Amino acid sequence: MESPENDRIPLEKAEQIVLRWDSTVSEEARARMIFEGDRQEIDQYLQAVDEIQRSMESTTLSDDDGADEESKKVNTTIQIAMARLEDEFRNILISHATPIETESLTESISSNHLTPRNSGSFGEFPESDDFSNRGEDDGSRNGSSSFLERGESSTTIASYRSMSSIREIDLIPSDSIYDLRCIADRMIAAGYFRECVQVYGSVRKSAVDASFKKLGVEKLSIGDIQRLEWEALNAKIGKWIRAAKVCIRVLFASEKRLCQQIFEDLGTAADDACFMETVKGPAIQLFNFAEAISISRRSPEKLFKILDLHDAVLDLLPDIDAVFYSKSAESIRVQATEILSRLAEAARGMLSEFENAVLREPSRVPVPGGTIHPLTRYVMNYISLISDYKQTLGELIVSKPATGSRYSDDLTTPDMDFTDHEGQSPLALHLIWIIVILQFNLEGKSKHYKDNSLAHLFIMNNVHYIVQKVKGSPELREMIGDSYLKKLTGKFRQAATRYQRATWVGVLYCLRDEGLHVSGSFSSGVSKSALRERFKSFNTMFEEVHRMQALWLIPDTQLREELQISISEKLIPAYRSFLGRFRTHIENGRHPEQYIKYSVEDLETAVLDFFEGYAVSQHSRRRSQ
């Protein structure tokens, strides 16, 4: 500790200077602050304190009575001086205790080196039997599958693996730092270390709290956080991630630097003590939020926000280690590491919960028209998002899914042969397994349709949707693999074939020749009564199929047109041929219009009504407009 100037002043004058600034007895001393005056006055006071401190050290070494009296006087003076310096120390700190500018820092830190990916709030798992709506007012009637469906709200945000580093800012001007260091040096030398730390910590902690408030970091206990509804918590997670980056990389790092500027090399690890006095409480408050999320109830819709939080903490971990490197800050480092571990475990648990929810989803009410089930939409959009998080989940998911066994008697769980997927990652196997159990559940739901044709159409629609979602995501397609995608494609084509057999074999059977020809020299060789019955049967069956299946729905335009063409390729040539061979037999009889109700063109037009989701009467009105 050196005086600002080399010239020493007499002890008596030093005592007078200190006493003149004793705020307990002097109105002028209460009204003014030394360090708000000119430099000469400041330096003079510091010289006086140094002189008294030297005198106190020398009188301590003497044993005579006069020295003892002098020691008491010096001790009293130094106490007055320390009280004054404490007030000055506090005043300088308070005058620079404004919160940091958060808006520009939040934007710059959040935008540095970020990689876009789809994320956002994912809706809750569909309620059972909540499928009364057709769910087709989302543009899918035109063949485009909207991503913004139930549980599919999405915005492009940034990956939290940012590679940003610490950005220290000046919290206090350099001339004020110099004054604070001068005061701290003398207080610590005089044995007022604890008082110095307490004053510093209380003022700077208030500044940190003010910055927290501007950043939106709320004072919530772990219990408070866990009692919040997920929607409210969902919004707070994004805010917390942005705030945590500023807190760790700017606020805490700058507070650490300020402590070092003021207290470094003043002994007794003063810089670290003041730093922890300032930020330990706020740091615990900050991390309590992430800790509460990590131990909250697991449910599938939380997975993606949990992964965002995991990535943010993982990204910040090196900075946390850098800022809180001392032994006294070990508890902060440990808390951050434990939070990361629990978030990882929570993510694994949520994926498992999701698999179980897909398998056990119990809705029994068939979706009208055999269209895409809400469960299918939810699951496929969910695993599309999973593929966006493949880097993180690929590191967290290290084991294969727990599947059923082909040798098991458990009929409530499908099996999966892993030998068909050699070389694929555990995460890819989980995604395939989710599709397997989704199909298993859909097969069960198809049995609730009373019409087998509609059951096959339902499976075709849903498996086709699965295929389109896989094809529409390069990341998902890469993970699933073309081999399994080919298997899925075969599955929906098989369902389409089964639908055609179930529906049209009976209709086309009416157009066969067998049973129409009779033998006899006086007949034309055709039984008119049998022919009339055959036309009546065809008319009745086709009318019923047309009436019912116009109401059914294939939301994908291309798939709908392909199936309509396939039906026409079988139906129209058969009807044209049958009509060409036997029309004259009916037209030569009475009331031919009762039997030949359709021309070939009529059938071609009627087939175009199929799978549009409208009643036949509505189709007729639309065509007449």
Side-chain angles (χ1 to χ4, degrees):
M1 179 179 64
E2 295 183 1
S3 299
E5 298 178 7
N6 293 327
D7 296 334
R8 290 178 57 173
I9 59 176
L11 176 61
E12 186 176 346
K13 184 180 179 182
E15 290 173 342
Q16 289 174 357
I17 292 170
V18 169
L19 293 174
R20 181 164 66 87
W21 288 100
D22 183 0
S23 58
T24 62
V25 296
S26 168
E27 186 64 37
E28 182 187 4
R30 282 194 292 273
R32 290 179 56 210
M33 300 304 293
I34 300 170
F35 282 78
E36 290 178 354
D38 59 45
R39 191 73 239 172
Q40 184 178 357
E41 197 170 41
I42 295 169
D43 291 344
Q44 187 183 54
Y45 191 84
L46 292 175
Q47 287 172 13
V49 173
D50 291 344
E51 189 60 39
I52 295 168
Q53 181 66 17
R54 277 191 293 269
S55 175
M56 188 172 71
E57 291 169 357
S58 63
T59 55
T60 304
L61 300 174
S62 178
D63 293 331
D64 59 71
D65 293 339
D68 187 50
E69 190 65 30
E70 182 64 24
S71 177
K72 289 179 181 178
K73 182 180 179 183
V74 170
N75 276 326
T76 300
T77 307
I78 203 72
Q79 287 173 12
I80 293 169
M82 290 303 111
R84 183 70 203 199
L85 286 179
E86 183 177 320
D87 289 342
E88 297 285 342
F89 194 68
R90 182 183 291 105
N91 185 64
I92 296 171
L93 288 169
I94 289 172
S95 66
H96 299 290
T98 54
I100 62 173
E101 176 54 52
T102 58
E103 289 185 15
S104 59
L105 287 170
T106 303
E107 289 173 7
S108 62
I109 283 187
S110 295
S111 62
N112 273 349
H113 307 288
L114 296 177
T115 323
R117 74 178 172 199
N118 283 324
S119 181
S121 169
F122 209 88
E124 292 185 5
F125 201 85
E127 295 286 339
S128 62
D129 292 341
D130 186 21
F131 307 119
S132 56
N133 293 329
R134 298 187 69 86
E136 302 307 327
D137 296 328
D138 55 8
S140 56
R141 189 184 299 280
N142 298 321
S144 60
S145 299
S146 170
F147 191 75
L148 297 175
E149 296 161 350
R150 177 177 182 175
E152 299 161 26
S153 173
S154 171
T155 54
T156 298
I157 65 163
S159 166
Y160 293 111
R161 296 192 173 184
S162 65
M163 302 303 292
S164 295
S165 58
I166 288 170
R167 287 185 54 190
E168 296 167 340
I169 59 174
D170 293 326
L171 299 173
I172 295 179
S174 58
D175 56 344
S176 296
I177 289 174
Y178 174 77
D179 289 340
L180 289 167
R181 185 171 176 84
C182 287
I183 296 171
D185 187 9
R186 285 156 179 82
M187 289 184 71
I188 292 170
Y192 285 76
F193 170 75
R194 188 67 251 165
E195 290 81 353
C196 186
V197 170
Q198 286 174 346
V199 170
Y200 182 90
S202 66
V203 176
R204 288 310 306 168
K205 184 178 179 299
S206 296
V208 171
D209 288 341
S211 295
F212 265 34
K213 189 173 182 180
K214 285 188 74 174
L215 286 164
V217 180
E218 302 174 74
K219 286 188 176 180
L220 298 172
S221 68
I222 289 177
D224 292 335
I225 295 163
Q226 291 186 323
R227 282 189 289 272
L228 288 171
E229 293 293 328
W230 175 244
E231 278 189 18
L233 205 53
N234 190 29
K236 289 181 187 295
I237 290 174
K239 290 180 182 177
W240 183 91
I241 290 170
R242 292 189 292 272
K245 290 183 176 185
V246 176
C247 288
I248 301 298
R249 291 178 171 151
V250 180
L251 183 59
F252 292 165
S254 299
E255 289 290 346
K256 180 80 173 176
R257 177 169 169 257
L258 181 61
C259 288
Q260 290 169 340
Q261 289 172 324
I262 297 172
F263 297 102
E264 195 168 38
D265 301 325
L266 295 186
T268 61
D271 57 332
D272 187 56
C274 286
F275 175 63
M276 291 308 294
E277 184 80 13
T278 302
V279 305
K280 185 172 183 179
I284 291 171
Q285 177 190 338
L286 181 71
F287 287 122
N288 274 352
F289 179 87
E291 183 166 349
I293 302 296
S294 72
I295 58 177
S296 63
R297 185 181 67 85
R298 297 173 182 176
S299 54
E301 70 272 11
K302 297 180 181 179
L303 175 62
F304 303 108
K305 281 296 183 181
I306 290 291
L307 292 174
D308 286 342
L309 201 54
H310 174 277
D311 281 0
V313 175
L314 179 64
D315 186 34
L316 285 170
L317 211 54
D319 300 317
I320 293 168
D321 289 341
V323 174
F324 296 96
Y325 63 81
S326 67
K327 184 168 180 59
S328 62
E330 183 179 10
S331 61
I332 304 294
R333 299 195 305 274
V334 169
Q335 184 183 18
T337 303
E338 288 178 347
I339 288 169
L340 187 67
S341 176
R342 282 195 290 268
L343 287 170
E345 187 56 39
R348 285 188 284 266
M350 287 173 187
L351 184 61
S352 178
E353 288 281 336
F354 179 70
E355 292 170 352
N356 288 331
V358 174
L359 181 62
R360 307 300 177 195
E361 195 283 312
S363 62
R364 292 170 177 264
V365 177
V367 289
T371 188
I372 299 159
H373 200 284
L375 177 67
T376 307
R377 296 183 185 276
Y378 185 94
V379 170
M380 291 312 299
N381 283 283
Y382 194 95
I383 67 172
S384 293
L385 266 182
I386 285 178
S387 69
D388 287 340
Y389 286 81
K390 66 179 180 179
Q391 181 182 354
T392 301
L393 279 170
E395 295 167 3
L396 300 183
I397 306 300
V398 294
S399 58
K400 297 177 182 179
T403 69
S405 169
R406 64 180 58 219
Y407 306 109
S408 169
D409 294 330
D410 183 9
L411 300 179
T412 62
T413 306
D415 58 57
M416 177 174 165
D417 190 352
F418 290 117
T419 59
D420 294 340
H421 307 282
E422 292 291 341
Q424 290 182 278
S425 69
L427 177 59
L429 294 177
H430 275 271
L431 296 185
I432 293 171
W433 171 239
I434 290 169
I435 294 175
V436 168
I437 56 180
L438 172 60
Q439 290 182 85
F440 182 80
N441 193 320
L442 292 171
E443 290 286 353
K445 295 182 190 311
S446 71
K447 292 179 173 58
H448 296 296
Y449 287 103
K450 294 177 181 178
D451 189 322
N452 283 338
S453 297
L454 185 55
H456 295 312
L457 191 83
F458 171 76
I459 293 298
M460 180 199 71
N461 268 330
N462 282 268
V463 179
H464 178 266
Y465 182 84
I466 293 170
V467 169
Q468 293 305 106
K469 292 297 287 187
V470 174
K471 286 182 176 180
S473 167
E475 294 84 3
L476 185 56
R477 182 169 187 166
E478 181 185 356
M479 296 179 75
I480 295 295
D482 285 341
S483 176
Y484 188 66
L485 184 60
K486 185 177 180 180
K487 185 176 180 180
L488 286 172
T489 302
K491 182 79 179 282
F492 86 74
R493 294 198 181 284
Q494 181 186 58
T497 300
R498 287 175 175 174
Y499 151 78
Q500 291 188 72
R501 286 175 181 167
T503 299
W504 296 105
V505 165
V507 176
L508 294 173
Y509 191 69
C510 296
L511 304 178
R512 74 193 188 283
D513 286 3
E514 292 86 348
L516 296 179
H517 295 280
V518 293
S519 57
S521 56
F522 299 103
S523 77
S524 62
V526 174
S527 169
K528 291 186 178 181
S529 61
L531 185 60
R532 285 193 291 267
E533 285 303 315
R534 193 68 63 81
F535 269 106
K536 286 175 66 177
S537 295
F538 174 84
N539 293 337
T540 301
M541 292 184 72
F542 183 79
E543 284 172 7
E544 180 63 15
V545 170
H546 183 208
R547 183 184 68 81
M548 289 297 298
Q549 298 195 13
L551 291 168
W552 295 359
L553 186 60
I554 299 177
D556 185 88
T557 303
Q558 184 177 344
L559 181 62
R560 181 170 64 246
E561 290 175 353
E562 285 179 3
L563 193 56
Q564 288 170 344
I565 289 169
S566 181
I567 291 168
S568 293
E569 286 175 346
K570 294 177 176 62
L571 175 65
I572 301 304
Y575 186 74
R576 180 184 288 113
S577 175
F578 189 79
L579 195 61
R581 293 195 305 277
F582 301 111
R583 176 192 292 241
T584 56
H585 297 287
I586 298 297
E587 289 179 340
N588 290 335
R590 297 194 320 178
H591 308 298
E593 71 281 358
Q594 293 182 3
Y595 306 105
I596 303 177
K597 288 190 173 183
Y598 297 100
S599 67
V600 171
E601 292 73 19
D602 290 337
L603 287 188
E604 288 175 336
T605 301
V607 169
L608 296 178
D609 296 340
F610 281 50
F611 320 123
E612 290 276 356
Y614 299 110
V616 171
S617 58
Q618 290 177 278
H619 285 285
S620 301
R621 285 198 299 271
R622 287 166 66 199
R623 285 196 295 267
S624 65
Q625 290 175 351

